[in-house]
Amino acid sequence: MNVVIRDTYEEMSKVAAGIIAGFVRAKPNCVIGLATGSTPIGTYRELIRMHKEEGLDFSQVRTFNLDEYLGLGMDLDKPYHLDQSYARFMYEELFKHINIPKENTLVPDGLAQDPQAYCQWYEEQIAAAGGIDIQVLGIGGDGHWGFNEPGSSLASRTRVVALTQKTLDDNYESFYKNAGFSRDEMPKFAITMGIGTILEARNAIMLANGAHKAGIVAKAIEGPVIAQITATAMHLYRGEMTIILDKAAASKLENIDHYLHVERAMRELHK
Ligand code: F6R
């Protein structure tokens, strides 16, 4: 596990975008796992800049999103703030600005007729694409990856889950409230890739910023591994996971000096 700490959100986002762009350049038809939420917005903006100014080419890239609220699907007839689907988020924050074909982007369908069967189908699509080359993750206030809420099995697969009160509160404050929705109007269920699904990605990066994430980030990175904080599954990951933090999100790490030392040492090694 690599822990990379940058002073600002902008610098952190550039590191993350640089890693993703490296995959796109090395393997133009790579498969990327994507997250929504406020954390990766800076990363997506940087990828959009790279596409527009440097010609970063997404024409063969395929993407799979981590999750979607049950009951929501993209509705382009609505203004963005009234369409809180994650499919719309991805369209507005990334897809519509780059040259990725629509059919190459898969966000779980919150309107699926048979959500359980759909989850199985989603897993099959990831497998048929050859698996995920690079998975982008955030971390929830309760330590979740995707919508794998506390207590989720660390071997779980794509499925329908009930959201915790903490997640409902966090997402209400970050998104729904500003759009004028009442708490009752928020979906209480979601489809999410499982922790087991996420752990199968060949590479992964986890991003976190802000002092409000510092406590949970420290618990996730410095263990112990527990199902109550599903992001602690990072310690079961077989590949090399890179955790990219801004200074504020890193502020409660006990071993911060060690992570800074390792990053400097690795930079020397690769000079
Ligand atoms: C969203 C997702 C979630 C978020 C997490 C953090 O697709 O997978 O796990 O990464 O809830 O959300 P923000 O970035 O809004 O703090």
Side-chain angles (χ1 to χ4, degrees), residues 34-40 65-67 86 137-141 144-147 171 174-175 212-213:
L34 294 172
T36 57
S38 50
T39 312
N65 262 80
L66 281 168
D67 44 14
Y86 282 174
L137 297 161
I139 179 170
H144 68 212
W145 272 351
F147 274 133
N171 290 1
S174 305
F175 296 100
H212 64 297
K213 291 281 175 76

Side-chain angles (χ1 to χ4, degrees), residues 206-219:
M206 186 189 98
L207 319 177
N209 67 287
H212 64 297
K213 291 281 175 76
I216 197 68
V217 161
K219 284 185 181 162

Side-chain angles (χ1 to χ4, degrees), residues 146-214:
F147 274 133
N148 291 281
E149 300 290 42
S152 298
S153 159
L154 300 184
S156 51
R157 310 302 306 185
T158 303
R159 66 204 188 288
V160 175
V161 293
L163 304 179
T164 59
Q165 195 56 48
K166 166 89 177 128
T167 296
L168 291 170
D169 290 346
D170 286 354
N171 290 1
Y172 182 73
E173 289 300 322
S174 305
F175 296 100
Y176 278 79
K177 194 172 162 184
N178 300 335
F181 286 100
S182 73
R183 279 177 187 276
D184 289 345
E185 288 173 288
M186 254 196 96
K188 311 278 185 299
F189 297 89
I191 293 176
T192 184
M193 273 189 210
I195 295 292
T197 320
I198 293 168
L199 291 177
E200 280 172 10
R202 284 183 282 280
N203 298 274
I205 56 176
M206 186 189 98
L207 319 177
N209 67 287
H212 64 297
K213 291 281 175 76

Side-chain angles (χ1 to χ4, degrees), residues 14-133:
K14 279 194 178 153
V15 172
I19 292 174
I20 299 165
F23 277 86
V24 176
R25 288 195 196 98
K27 186 179 174 191
N29 63 346
C30 68
V31 180
I32 310 179
L34 294 172
T36 57
S38 50
T39 312
I41 289 178
T43 303
Y44 296 157
R45 292 208 173 131
E46 178 62 9
L47 287 174
I48 293 165
R49 189 199 64 72
M50 287 171 158
H51 168 67
K52 295 205 161 135
E53 293 176 14
E54 297 167 15
L56 187 65
D57 180 13
F58 291 89
S59 61
Q60 297 177 63
V61 168
R62 298 197 56 181
T63 64
F64 288 91
N65 262 80
L66 281 168
D67 44 14
E68 176 64 280
Y69 289 112
L70 201 65
L72 296 194
M74 180 158 79
D75 181 353
L76 286 172
D77 290 337
K78 287 184 182 165
Y80 180 22
H81 71 287
L82 294 181
D83 178 356
Q84 293 286 324
S85 68
Y86 282 174
R88 182 67 176 271
F89 174 98
M90 290 311 306
Y91 174 75
E92 298 287 346
E93 304 296 341
L94 183 63
F95 297 153
K96 80 173 186 188
H97 305 284
I98 59 175
N99 65 333
I100 191 162
K102 188 179 179 311
E103 61 275 17
N104 285 14
T105 64
L106 210 50
V107 178
D109 182 2
L111 300 175
Q113 290 280 316
D114 179 345
Q116 305 293 353
Y118 180 84
C119 292
Q120 177 62 33
W121 180 84
Y122 199 75
E123 289 269 341
E124 287 162 11
Q125 296 312 300
I126 296 173
I132 291 172
D133 290 300

